Amino acid sequence: MVPLIDSFPQMKSEEIEAEDNISTVMQFVLLGFSDLPNLQGLLFGMFSVIYIIILTGNSLIIVITRLDPVLQKPMYFFLANFSLLEICYVSVTLPRILVNLWTQDRRISVLGCATQMCFFLILGTAECFLLVVMAYDRYVAICNPLHYPLVMNQKTCIQLAVGSWISGIPVQIGQTCQIFSLHFCNSNQINHFFCDIPPILKLACGDTSVHELSVYVIVLLVAAVPFMLVLASYSKIICTILRLPTARGRAKAFSTCSSHLMVVLLFFGSGTITYFRPKSSHSAGTDKLLSLFYTIVTPMFNPMIYSLRNKDVIAALRKLVLKN
């Protein structure tokens, strides 16, 4: 009986040791651009200017679409929502990047990291859906102009906008909880400038293939399917444009559509490539470059492409400036 009693402390100590080997990480370190020590000041200045441009450009669009009577149309209602979404989307990641560059303190708590990822994913999903809604709005306006006032009435517009904002909330909260339920035992250093799924999964212990599969399925539903719907809408729009009687009308419509499609391809393309690649093929440099496009570059150019090439928006902006 004695050997059996003595074996219990030994078994307990082995269990404690095993738990220590898969200890839960209490905080992460966002390495960001730490591999460019001589460029920290330049990067801080560059990202500060970009953030100001994004805030100013999108805020102007929100203000003029609210104040100008000419812009009280569904297209500009969605544009104002899109601009507000871009401000929120960028503000989830860019202020943190600026703080890290300024203070050189790159630590972030697990809760802070999870919160950043959750809001980033929710707002990214909202952007995917809102781009579909905006493409649908243009499809109805160009392909079914007689039915446009009836189809895109105020109630429908509000429902589509609210649906775009909230549809991703339950899915992305669930996905964030699933990812942060993993054990992180390899390292606490995230080789990225914000808490994104691919670099977080790299730090997880054991087999993460089930989690990767769930990421693929969710990306398929919230990004790939909306992307196909946007392309389908614009293909119908282009077919309708080709039947326009005047060359000037065709050129104008093509100019607008090509600009919109460029933004859509940049946003969906870079995001889809990032999340659809298997974990083994991810490289930190490529992930950072791709994520720069869908987190910073497209929000910076969206106001110019979606708005400042629009004559009504330019006229409203001119009135606002002259009034002040």
Side-chain angles (χ1 to χ4, degrees):
M1 294 296 290
V2 174
L4 286 173
I5 295 170
D6 288 340
S7 67
F8 282 112
Q10 185 181 356
M11 288 171 64
K12 195 165 185 180
S13 66
E14 284 174 0
E15 286 175 5
I16 292 168
E17 189 178 340
E19 285 178 5
D20 287 341
N21 287 338
I22 54 168
S23 60
T24 305
V25 171
M26 299 306 294
Q27 66 177 11
F28 291 109
V29 177
L30 288 165
L31 296 181
F33 302 98
S34 59
D35 54 339
L36 303 168
N38 298 327
L39 298 178
Q40 299 296 294
L42 178 63
L43 288 169
F44 177 82
M46 184 179 73
F47 284 127
S48 297
V49 171
I50 289 171
Y51 193 38
I52 291 167
I53 290 170
I54 292 169
L55 293 179
T56 305
N58 286 289
S59 297
L60 272 174
I61 291 166
I62 294 168
V63 170
I64 61 176
T65 52
R66 291 290 296 168
L67 295 180
D68 198 294
V70 178
L71 303 183
Q72 304 307 306
K73 299 173 184 176
M75 174 183 173
Y76 301 109
F77 168 74
F78 293 128
L79 190 57
N81 272 270
F82 190 66
S83 294
L84 178 60
L85 179 59
E86 291 290 53
I87 290 171
C88 297
Y89 183 62
V90 171
S91 296
V92 171
T93 57
L94 203 42
R96 181 81 204 192
I97 295 170
L98 293 172
V99 169
N100 291 352
L101 288 169
W102 182 256
T103 64
Q104 297 298 302
D105 182 4
R106 298 182 172 87
R107 291 172 298 175
I108 183 170
S109 67
V110 172
L111 180 60
C113 192
T115 304
Q116 185 187 54
M117 179 189 284
C118 189
F119 276 103
F120 175 76
L121 294 175
I122 288 170
L123 294 169
T125 302
E127 182 156 345
C128 292
F129 290 154
L130 196 54
L131 283 169
V132 175
V133 169
M134 292 171 76
Y136 175 68
D137 172 68
R138 291 299 82 210
Y139 162 75
V140 177
I142 294 171
C143 301
N144 297 294
L146 296 177
H147 295 97
Y148 183 67
L150 183 64
V151 174
M152 301 304 290
N153 56 64
Q154 187 179 19
K155 184 181 177 181
T156 301
C157 290
I158 292 171
Q159 288 174 340
L160 288 170
V162 171
S164 298
W165 278 90
I166 68 171
S167 294
I169 292 175
V171 176
Q172 299 300 2
I173 288 176
Q175 180 166 240
T176 304
C177 291
Q178 184 188 41
I179 288 169
F180 279 88
S181 66
L182 292 165
H183 287 288
F184 303 101
C185 59
N186 297 326
S187 170
N188 71 334
Q189 294 188 336
I190 303 171
N191 196 357
H192 209 48
F193 51 84
F194 70 98
C195 293
D196 204 359
I197 293 175
I200 293 289
L201 281 178
K202 274 189 172 182
L203 304 182
C205 306
D207 183 21
T208 58
S209 56
V210 174
H211 295 83
E212 287 183 57
L213 181 61
S214 71
V215 170
Y216 296 153
V217 171
I218 292 171
V219 171
L220 189 69
L221 292 174
V222 305
V225 171
F227 181 45
M228 297 306 294
L229 290 172
V230 170
L231 290 183
S233 297
Y234 276 112
S235 64
K236 289 279 189 181
I237 290 168
I238 289 168
C239 289
T240 303
I241 289 168
L242 289 172
R243 293 197 293 268
L244 290 176
T246 62
R248 186 178 178 183
R250 287 196 298 270
K252 181 184 175 183
F254 266 124
S255 174
T256 304
C257 285
S258 63
S259 300
H260 292 189
L261 277 173
M262 184 174 69
V263 171
V264 166
L265 288 169
L266 196 62
F267 176 76
F268 280 109
S270 56
T272 304
I273 291 168
T274 298
Y275 290 103
F276 265 132
R277 288 182 302 152
K279 188 176 78 166
S280 57
S281 67
H282 280 274
S283 70
T286 306
D287 284 348
K288 287 180 190 179
L289 182 63
L290 286 169
S291 57
L292 276 175
F293 281 104
Y294 61 82
T295 57
I296 294 172
V297 175
T298 51
M300 183 174 65
F301 285 114
N302 278 342
M304 290 178 274
I305 291 172
Y306 275 95
S307 310
L308 300 181
R309 295 187 62 176
N310 183 299
K311 287 182 179 178
D312 291 338
V313 173
I314 292 170
L317 189 59
R318 190 177 290 118
K319 278 195 288 185
L320 182 68
V321 173
L322 291 175
K323 190 185 290 184
N324 295 330

